[in-house]
Amino acid sequence: MTQSESASNHRDGHTRSLYAATMNPAPERPALVGHQSVDVCVVGAGFTGLSSALHLAEQGFRVAVLEAQHVGFGASGRNGGQIVNSYSRDMDMIEARFGEASARALGDMAFEGNRIIHERIEQYAIQCDLKNGNLFAACNDKQLDALRHHKTLWEKYGHKTLELLEGDAYRREIGSARYKGALLDHSGGHLHPLNLVLGQAAAFESLGGVIFEHSPMTRLEHGERVKVHTAGGVIEAERAVIAGNAYLGDVVPELADRSMPCGTQVIATEVLDEATAQRLLPTDRAVEDSNYLLDYYRLSGERRLIYGGGVTYGGGDPESIEGAIRPKLLKTFPELENVRIDYAWSGNFLLTLNRLPQFGRLNHNVYYAQGYSGHGVTASHLAGRLVGEIIKGDSARFDAFVNIRHLPFPGGRRFAVPFSAMGAWYYALRDRLGV
C-alpha cells in the first residue's frame, strides 16, 4: 500500500516520504519558551536557513534558528534530491533582461552552490547517499538544439564538465527510448536531501547554534534590534534572516506579493533488483527532461526509482499523487508497468515571475532569500554563503541578486494561480508539439 501524503505526518512529524522513512537519527528539539538574545535570528530550518546559520556560526556569530515544524519539514526534505547547477533561468535571459553586468555577476556564482554542498558533506561527514552526475534529456529536436546552446553558454561562464550525448549515445546513461539526446553534467549529482539538511543542522549545533522546533514566527517587530515573536516567546537579535520560502505563509506580507507557492509530486517504487536498476539508469545518475513542466528521476541509495513531475500552481496536491505521476513514469520506463509504488508525497517550492531567486532587505537589519523556482538545492546553499557575507559586512555578491527586479504576478494574488496555469498549459502544448 502506498504511503501517501494524505496521512500528513510520518517519522518524527515529517511527511510520509521515502526520505522520512530512511532519515538519519535526529533529536527532538524544544519549542521556544521565553526570551532569547542572540546576534542573528534565522527563520526557517531548511537549506536556506541552515546554510545561512552554519556560515554565520563558523564566523563566530551567536545564532538561533526558529522552525515552524521540524528541521527539513518543507521543500528541503521533500525535493527530488538532484544537484543541478545554475538557476531556473539561464544567463542569456539574465543578460537580455537585466544587462551584461548582472549576467556576469550571477554567472560567476552559478556553480558555487554545488561546490558548497560537496564541501559541507566532506567537512562534516554527512551521510546522505551522495552520487555524481546529472543529465538534461531532450524529448524532441528543438530541445536538443537548446541543450547545444546550453552547453556553449555554461562553458562561456567557465563550466567545462559538460558532455553532449547526441542520438543514441544517451542510451549508455538512460534505458529509455523516448529521448533525442542528453547533456551530461559530470559535476552535478544527487543525494538524500533530508539527510543533508539534518547533517547541516547537527553541524550548526556542534558550533553552539540553537534550533527551536514547533516555533512558527507570529510577528516580526522591526527596530535597532529586531524582535521575532512566536506563540511561546521572543528572540531579540542584531539581525534577522527570513528563510521560510514556500512555507512562510503570510506572516511577512511584503514577501508574499511577488512569489507563489507551487506543488510538485514525487513517487518512489519498491526496491528494484540490480538488473532492473542497471537497465534503467546504468551509471546511476539523476535525470530531468527539458519540458516546461519537466519530469525528474533517479535511483535512491537502496535502488528505488524516485520519479517526480508536474506542478500545482498555488500549492496543494492532485486527487491522487500516484495517479498523476505513475503515467509519466511509464511513458519513460514502460517495463515498470507492474512495479509497486511504495511512497507518494508532495512538497511546495516558491516560484517568482522571472524564475530567478529573490534576495533582499526588509530594512537595514532584516534580510531574506527565497524563490528559487525549482532550483533550490544548489541556489539555497549559495544563498547561505551570501547571507554570511552581507552580515559580516560584504554586500557585493548579495546585492547582485538584490539588483534583479521582481514584479508581481499578473492579476494580483487572486488571479496569479489561474493565469500561471494557463501559461503553463501553453508551454506544455508547445513541448508536446515540439515547437
Side-chain angles (χ1 to χ4, degrees), residues 54-84:
L54 184 52
H55 279 288
L56 290 165
E58 289 171 335
Q59 296 173 27
F61 289 96
R62 294 180 300 118
V63 185
V65 176
L66 292 175
E67 166 54 42
Q69 300 289 338
H70 289 271
V71 169
F73 177 84
S76 300
R78 306 179 187 218
N79 63 78
Q82 301 204 17
I83 303 173
V84 179

PDB file of all heavy atoms in Angstrom, residues 54-84:
ATOM      1  N   LEU A  54      24.767  28.085   9.464  1.00  0.00           N
ATOM      2  CA  LEU A  54      26.059  27.407   9.575  1.00  0.00           C
ATOM      3  C   LEU A  54      27.201  28.327   9.153  1.00  0.00           C
ATOM      4  O   LEU A  54      28.239  28.383   9.828  1.00  0.00           O
ATOM      5  CB  LEU A  54      26.045  26.130   8.728  1.00  0.00           C
ATOM      6  CG  LEU A  54      27.285  25.227   8.794  1.00  0.00           C
ATOM      7  CD1 LEU A  54      27.659  24.889  10.224  1.00  0.00           C
ATOM      8  CD2 LEU A  54      27.040  23.950   7.985  1.00  0.00           C
ATOM      9  N   HIS A  55      27.029  29.057   8.071  1.00  0.00           N
ATOM     10  CA  HIS A  55      28.058  30.023   7.673  1.00  0.00           C
ATOM     11  C   HIS A  55      28.294  31.055   8.773  1.00  0.00           C
ATOM     12  O   HIS A  55      29.445  31.412   9.070  1.00  0.00           O
ATOM     13  CB  HIS A  55      27.650  30.721   6.383  1.00  0.00           C
ATOM     14  CG  HIS A  55      27.923  29.926   5.140  1.00  0.00           C
ATOM     15  ND1 HIS A  55      29.196  29.711   4.655  1.00  0.00           N
ATOM     16  CD2 HIS A  55      27.094  29.290   4.277  1.00  0.00           C
ATOM     17  CE1 HIS A  55      29.136  28.973   3.556  1.00  0.00           C
ATOM     18  NE2 HIS A  55      27.871  28.704   3.307  1.00  0.00           N
ATOM     19  N   LEU A  56      27.208  31.538   9.371  1.00  0.00           N
ATOM     20  CA  LEU A  56      27.344  32.555  10.416  1.00  0.00           C
ATOM     21  C   LEU A  56      27.988  31.982  11.670  1.00  0.00           C
ATOM     22  O   LEU A  56      28.860  32.628  12.286  1.00  0.00           O
ATOM     23  CB  LEU A  56      25.966  33.133  10.741  1.00  0.00           C
ATOM     24  CG  LEU A  56      25.356  34.004   9.646  1.00  0.00           C
ATOM     25  CD1 LEU A  56      23.865  34.213   9.892  1.00  0.00           C
ATOM     26  CD2 LEU A  56      26.074  35.354   9.563  1.00  0.00           C
ATOM     27  N   ALA A  57      27.609  30.773  12.068  1.00  0.00           N
ATOM     28  CA  ALA A  57      28.213  30.146  13.248  1.00  0.00           C
ATOM     29  C   ALA A  57      29.704  29.921  13.037  1.00  0.00           C
ATOM     30  O   ALA A  57      30.513  30.079  13.967  1.00  0.00           O
ATOM     31  CB  ALA A  57      27.506  28.839  13.565  1.00  0.00           C
ATOM     32  N   GLU A  58      30.085  29.552  11.824  1.00  0.00           N
ATOM     33  CA  GLU A  58      31.508  29.362  11.527  1.00  0.00           C
ATOM     34  C   GLU A  58      32.294  30.657  11.657  1.00  0.00           C
ATOM     35  O   GLU A  58      33.497  30.637  11.923  1.00  0.00           O
ATOM     36  CB  GLU A  58      31.665  28.790  10.118  1.00  0.00           C
ATOM     37  CG  GLU A  58      31.219  27.337   9.997  1.00  0.00           C
ATOM     38  CD  GLU A  58      31.185  26.851   8.560  1.00  0.00           C
ATOM     39  OE1 GLU A  58      31.028  27.684   7.642  1.00  0.00           O
ATOM     40  OE2 GLU A  58      31.313  25.634   8.355  1.00  0.00           O
ATOM     41  N   GLN A  59      31.616  31.786  11.479  1.00  0.00           N
ATOM     42  CA  GLN A  59      32.264  33.089  11.611  1.00  0.00           C
ATOM     43  C   GLN A  59      32.229  33.626  13.039  1.00  0.00           C
ATOM     44  O   GLN A  59      32.722  34.725  13.293  1.00  0.00           O
ATOM     45  CB  GLN A  59      31.586  34.095  10.669  1.00  0.00           C
ATOM     46  CG  GLN A  59      31.728  33.760   9.190  1.00  0.00           C
ATOM     47  CD  GLN A  59      30.907  34.690   8.303  1.00  0.00           C
ATOM     48  OE1 GLN A  59      30.639  35.838   8.666  1.00  0.00           O
ATOM     49  NE2 GLN A  59      30.508  34.194   7.142  1.00  0.00           N
ATOM     50  N   GLY A  60      31.619  32.874  13.945  1.00  0.00           N
ATOM     51  CA  GLY A  60      31.628  33.265  15.345  1.00  0.00           C
ATOM     52  C   GLY A  60      30.380  33.972  15.830  1.00  0.00           C
ATOM     53  O   GLY A  60      30.328  34.393  16.997  1.00  0.00           O
ATOM     54  N   PHE A  61      29.364  34.113  15.001  1.00  0.00           N
ATOM     55  CA  PHE A  61      28.122  34.739  15.444  1.00  0.00           C
ATOM     56  C   PHE A  61      27.317  33.792  16.325  1.00  0.00           C
ATOM     57  O   PHE A  61      27.347  32.572  16.136  1.00  0.00           O
ATOM     58  CB  PHE A  61      27.267  35.132  14.236  1.00  0.00           C
ATOM     59  CG  PHE A  61      27.810  36.287  13.433  1.00  0.00           C
ATOM     60  CD1 PHE A  61      28.581  36.065  12.302  1.00  0.00           C
ATOM     61  CD2 PHE A  61      27.542  37.597  13.811  1.00  0.00           C
ATOM     62  CE1 PHE A  61      29.074  37.125  11.559  1.00  0.00           C
ATOM     63  CE2 PHE A  61      28.033  38.666  13.077  1.00  0.00           C
ATOM     64  CZ  PHE A  61      28.803  38.435  11.945  1.00  0.00           C
ATOM     65  N   ARG A  62      26.603  34.365  17.282  1.00  0.00           N
ATOM     66  CA  ARG A  62      25.645  33.607  18.093  1.00  0.00           C
ATOM     67  C   ARG A  62      24.318  33.594  17.318  1.00  0.00           C
ATOM     68  O   ARG A  62      23.732  34.653  17.086  1.00  0.00           O
ATOM     69  CB  ARG A  62      25.456  34.234  19.469  1.00  0.00           C
ATOM     70  CG  ARG A  62      26.707  34.191  20.346  1.00  0.00           C
ATOM     71  CD  ARG A  62      26.452  34.842  21.702  1.00  0.00           C
ATOM     72  NE  ARG A  62      26.057  36.249  21.549  1.00  0.00           N
ATOM     73  CZ  ARG A  62      24.882  36.743  21.931  1.00  0.00           C
ATOM     74  NH1 ARG A  62      23.979  35.957  22.508  1.00  0.00           N
ATOM     75  NH2 ARG A  62      24.609  38.024  21.760  1.00  0.00           N
ATOM     76  N   VAL A  63      23.865  32.412  16.952  1.00  0.00           N
ATOM     77  CA  VAL A  63      22.728  32.281  16.037  1.00  0.00           C
ATOM     78  C   VAL A  63      21.682  31.351  16.633  1.00  0.00           C
ATOM     79  O   VAL A  63      22.017  30.285  17.178  1.00  0.00           O
ATOM     80  CB  VAL A  63      23.186  31.732  14.666  1.00  0.00           C
ATOM     81  CG1 VAL A  63      22.012  31.706  13.685  1.00  0.00           C
ATOM     82  CG2 VAL A  63      24.338  32.557  14.106  1.00  0.00           C
ATOM     83  N   ALA A  64      20.423  31.756  16.500  1.00  0.00           N
ATOM     84  CA  ALA A  64      19.293  30.888  16.844  1.00  0.00           C
ATOM     85  C   ALA A  64      18.406  30.746  15.613  1.00  0.00           C
ATOM     86  O   ALA A  64      18.191  31.697  14.875  1.00  0.00           O
ATOM     87  CB  ALA A  64      18.494  31.457  18.002  1.00  0.00           C
ATOM     88  N   VAL A  65      17.885  29.528  15.407  1.00  0.00           N
ATOM     89  CA  VAL A  65      17.015  29.231  14.273  1.00  0.00           C
ATOM     90  C   VAL A  65      15.633  28.873  14.808  1.00  0.00           C
ATOM     91  O   VAL A  65      15.500  28.047  15.709  1.00  0.00           O
ATOM     92  CB  VAL A  65      17.578  28.073  13.434  1.00  0.00           C
ATOM     93  CG1 VAL A  65      16.610  27.701  12.306  1.00  0.00           C
ATOM     94  CG2 VAL A  65      18.944  28.429  12.870  1.00  0.00           C
ATOM     95  N   LEU A  66      14.612  29.488  14.208  1.00  0.00           N
ATOM     96  CA  LEU A  66      13.228  29.152  14.515  1.00  0.00           C
ATOM     97  C   LEU A  66      12.645  28.333  13.379  1.00  0.00           C
ATOM     98  O   LEU A  66      12.735  28.719  12.208  1.00  0.00           O
ATOM     99  CB  LEU A  66      12.388  30.421  14.682  1.00  0.00           C
ATOM    100  CG  LEU A  66      12.680  31.303  15.901  1.00  0.00           C
ATOM    101  CD1 LEU A  66      11.843  32.577  15.838  1.00  0.00           C
ATOM    102  CD2 LEU A  66      12.403  30.545  17.198  1.00  0.00           C
ATOM    103  N   GLU A  67      12.033  27.201  13.709  1.00  0.00           N
ATOM    104  CA  GLU A  67      11.417  26.330  12.700  1.00  0.00           C
ATOM    105  C   GLU A  67       9.975  26.038  13.111  1.00  0.00           C
ATOM    106  O   GLU A  67       9.713  25.648  14.245  1.00  0.00           O
ATOM    107  CB  GLU A  67      12.207  25.027  12.578  1.00  0.00           C
ATOM    108  CG  GLU A  67      11.520  23.907  11.831  1.00  0.00           C
ATOM    109  CD  GLU A  67      11.039  24.291  10.441  1.00  0.00           C
ATOM    110  OE1 GLU A  67      11.789  24.998   9.716  1.00  0.00           O
ATOM    111  OE2 GLU A  67       9.923  23.904  10.074  1.00  0.00           O
ATOM    112  N   ALA A  68       9.048  26.234  12.181  1.00  0.00           N
ATOM    113  CA  ALA A  68       7.631  26.056  12.487  1.00  0.00           C
ATOM    114  C   ALA A  68       7.270  24.600  12.775  1.00  0.00           C
ATOM    115  O   ALA A  68       6.378  24.329  13.580  1.00  0.00           O
ATOM    116  CB  ALA A  68       6.782  26.573  11.328  1.00  0.00           C
ATOM    117  N   GLN A  69       7.960  23.658  12.120  1.00  0.00           N
ATOM    118  CA  GLN A  69       7.660  22.237  12.304  1.00  0.00           C
ATOM    119  C   GLN A  69       8.915  21.505  12.793  1.00  0.00           C
ATOM    120  O   GLN A  69       9.260  21.599  13.947  1.00  0.00           O
ATOM    121  CB  GLN A  69       7.157  21.642  10.985  1.00  0.00           C
ATOM    122  CG  GLN A  69       5.890  22.304  10.446  1.00  0.00           C
ATOM    123  CD  GLN A  69       4.669  21.988  11.255  1.00  0.00           C
ATOM    124  OE1 GLN A  69       4.614  20.988  11.965  1.00  0.00           O
ATOM    125  NE2 GLN A  69       3.644  22.837  11.150  1.00  0.00           N
ATOM    126  N   HIS A  70       9.548  20.771  11.890  1.00  0.00           N
ATOM    127  CA  HIS A  70      10.792  20.066  12.178  1.00  0.00           C
ATOM    128  C   HIS A  70      11.847  20.483  11.170  1.00  0.00           C
ATOM    129  O   HIS A  70      11.525  20.938  10.064  1.00  0.00           O
ATOM    130  CB  HIS A  70      10.600  18.542  12.072  1.00  0.00           C
ATOM    131  CG  HIS A  70       9.772  17.943  13.164  1.00  0.00           C
ATOM    132  ND1 HIS A  70      10.310  17.490  14.346  1.00  0.00           N
ATOM    133  CD2 HIS A  70       8.447  17.722  13.249  1.00  0.00           C
ATOM    134  CE1 HIS A  70       9.344  17.016  15.113  1.00  0.00           C
ATOM    135  NE2 HIS A  70       8.207  17.142  14.468  1.00  0.00           N
ATOM    136  N   VAL A  71      13.097  20.314  11.523  1.00  0.00           N
ATOM    137  CA  VAL A  71      14.184  20.570  10.575  1.00  0.00           C
ATOM    138  C   VAL A  71      13.928  19.792   9.288  1.00  0.00           C
ATOM    139  O   VAL A  71      13.690  18.588   9.317  1.00  0.00           O
ATOM    140  CB  VAL A  71      15.542  20.156  11.180  1.00  0.00           C
ATOM    141  CG1 VAL A  71      16.633  20.167  10.108  1.00  0.00           C
ATOM    142  CG2 VAL A  71      15.914  21.077  12.336  1.00  0.00           C
ATOM    143  N   GLY A  72      13.952  20.511   8.144  1.00  0.00           N
ATOM    144  CA  GLY A  72      13.763  19.861   6.855  1.00  0.00           C
ATOM    145  C   GLY A  72      12.336  19.490   6.535  1.00  0.00           C
ATOM    146  O   GLY A  72      12.097  18.712   5.604  1.00  0.00           O
ATOM    147  N   PHE A  73      11.356  20.055   7.246  1.00  0.00           N
ATOM    148  CA  PHE A  73       9.957  19.684   7.030  1.00  0.00           C
ATOM    149  C   PHE A  73       9.456  20.107   5.649  1.00  0.00           C
ATOM    150  O   PHE A  73       8.632  19.424   5.042  1.00  0.00           O
ATOM    151  CB  PHE A  73       9.076  20.322   8.105  1.00  0.00           C
ATOM    152  CG  PHE A  73       7.604  20.058   7.928  1.00  0.00           C
ATOM    153  CD1 PHE A  73       7.037  18.887   8.396  1.00  0.00           C
ATOM    154  CD2 PHE A  73       6.793  20.989   7.278  1.00  0.00           C
ATOM    155  CE1 PHE A  73       5.676  18.636   8.227  1.00  0.00           C
ATOM    156  CE2 PHE A  73       5.425  20.745   7.105  1.00  0.00           C
ATOM    157  CZ  PHE A  73       4.874  19.571   7.579  1.00  0.00           C
ATOM    158  N   GLY A  74       9.932  21.235   5.141  1.00  0.00           N
ATOM    159  CA  GLY A  74       9.433  21.778   3.882  1.00  0.00           C
ATOM    160  C   GLY A  74      10.139  21.205   2.669  1.00  0.00           C
ATOM    161  O   GLY A  74      10.518  20.029   2.632  1.00  0.00           O
ATOM    162  N   ALA A  75      10.345  22.057   1.670  1.00  0.00           N
ATOM    163  CA  ALA A  75      10.893  21.600   0.388  1.00  0.00           C
ATOM    164  C   ALA A  75      12.265  20.953   0.539  1.00  0.00           C
ATOM    165  O   ALA A  75      12.611  20.037  -0.223  1.00  0.00           O
ATOM    166  CB  ALA A  75      10.974  22.772  -0.581  1.00  0.00           C
ATOM    167  N   SER A  76      13.058  21.394   1.499  1.00  0.00           N
ATOM    168  CA  SER A  76      14.410  20.857   1.655  1.00  0.00           C
ATOM    169  C   SER A  76      14.409  19.374   1.981  1.00  0.00           C
ATOM    170  O   SER A  76      15.362  18.666   1.637  1.00  0.00           O
ATOM    171  CB  SER A  76      15.162  21.628   2.749  1.00  0.00           C
ATOM    172  OG  SER A  76      15.254  22.995   2.417  1.00  0.00           O
ATOM    173  N   GLY A  77      13.351  18.885   2.620  1.00  0.00           N
ATOM    174  CA  GLY A  77      13.278  17.477   2.961  1.00  0.00           C
ATOM    175  C   GLY A  77      12.359  16.669   2.067  1.00  0.00           C
ATOM    176  O   GLY A  77      12.101  15.495   2.342  1.00  0.00           O
ATOM    177  N   ARG A  78      11.860  17.288   0.968  1.00  0.00           N
ATOM    178  CA  ARG A  78      10.878  16.606   0.121  1.00  0.00           C
ATOM    179  C   ARG A  78      11.260  16.577  -1.355  1.00  0.00           C
ATOM    180  O   ARG A  78      10.605  15.907  -2.149  1.00  0.00           O
ATOM    181  CB  ARG A  78       9.517  17.319   0.229  1.00  0.00           C
ATOM    182  CG  ARG A  78       8.998  17.482   1.634  1.00  0.00           C
ATOM    183  CD  ARG A  78       7.675  18.226   1.608  1.00  0.00           C
ATOM    184  NE  ARG A  78       7.210  18.550   2.946  1.00  0.00           N
ATOM    185  CZ  ARG A  78       5.942  18.499   3.321  1.00  0.00           C
ATOM    186  NH1 ARG A  78       5.013  18.125   2.461  1.00  0.00           N
ATOM    187  NH2 ARG A  78       5.593  18.831   4.545  1.00  0.00           N
ATOM    188  N   ASN A  79      12.254  17.318  -1.772  1.00  0.00           N
ATOM    189  CA  ASN A  79      12.527  17.548  -3.189  1.00  0.00           C
ATOM    190  C   ASN A  79      13.107  16.313  -3.876  1.00  0.00           C
ATOM    191  O   ASN A  79      13.336  15.280  -3.250  1.00  0.00           O
ATOM    192  CB  ASN A  79      13.459  18.750  -3.354  1.00  0.00           C
ATOM    193  CG  ASN A  79      14.810  18.523  -2.720  1.00  0.00           C
ATOM    194  OD1 ASN A  79      15.670  17.840  -3.265  1.00  0.00           O
ATOM    195  ND2 ASN A  79      15.002  19.085  -1.529  1.00  0.00           N
ATOM    196  N   GLY A  80      13.376  16.443  -5.169  1.00  0.00           N
ATOM    197  CA  GLY A  80      13.881  15.316  -5.949  1.00  0.00           C
ATOM    198  C   GLY A  80      15.288  14.895  -5.614  1.00  0.00           C
ATOM    199  O   GLY A  80      15.747  13.842  -6.073  1.00  0.00           O
ATOM    200  N   GLY A  81      16.011  15.688  -4.831  1.00  0.00           N
ATOM    201  CA  GLY A  81      17.358  15.313  -4.406  1.00  0.00           C
ATOM    202  C   GLY A  81      18.411  15.460  -5.490  1.00  0.00           C
ATOM    203  O   GLY A  81      19.470  14.835  -5.411  1.00  0.00           O
ATOM    204  N   GLN A  82      18.146  16.320  -6.481  1.00  0.00           N
ATOM    205  CA  GLN A  82      19.079  16.474  -7.595  1.00  0.00           C
ATOM    206  C   GLN A  82      19.944  17.726  -7.417  1.00  0.00           C
ATOM    207  O   GLN A  82      19.435  18.808  -7.116  1.00  0.00           O
ATOM    208  CB  GLN A  82      18.321  16.560  -8.921  1.00  0.00           C
ATOM    209  CG  GLN A  82      17.479  15.330  -9.190  1.00  0.00           C
ATOM    210  CD  GLN A  82      17.200  15.119 -10.667  1.00  0.00           C
ATOM    211  OE1 GLN A  82      17.848  15.678 -11.519  1.00  0.00           O
ATOM    212  NE2 GLN A  82      16.225  14.273 -10.962  1.00  0.00           N
ATOM    213  N   ILE A  83      21.251  17.550  -7.610  1.00  0.00           N
ATOM    214  CA  ILE A  83      22.196  18.672  -7.544  1.00  0.00           C
ATOM    215  C   ILE A  83      22.345  19.214  -8.960  1.00  0.00           C
ATOM    216  O   ILE A  83      23.110  18.701  -9.770  1.00  0.00           O
ATOM    217  CB  ILE A  83      23.554  18.221  -6.978  1.00  0.00           C
ATOM    218  CG1 ILE A  83      23.386  17.582  -5.608  1.00  0.00           C
ATOM    219  CG2 ILE A  83      24.517  19.404  -6.895  1.00  0.00           C
ATOM    220  CD1 ILE A  83      24.668  16.952  -5.063  1.00  0.00           C
ATOM    221  N   VAL A  84      21.552  20.235  -9.269  1.00  0.00           N
ATOM    222  CA  VAL A  84      21.518  20.826 -10.605  1.00  0.00           C
ATOM    223  C   VAL A  84      22.118  22.221 -10.525  1.00  0.00           C
ATOM    224  O   VAL A  84      21.683  23.051  -9.725  1.00  0.00           O
ATOM    225  CB  VAL A  84      20.077  20.891 -11.149  1.00  0.00           C
ATOM    226  CG1 VAL A  84      20.057  21.530 -12.534  1.00  0.00           C
ATOM    227  CG2 VAL A  84      19.462  19.501 -11.188  1.00  0.00           C
TER     228      VAL A  84
END
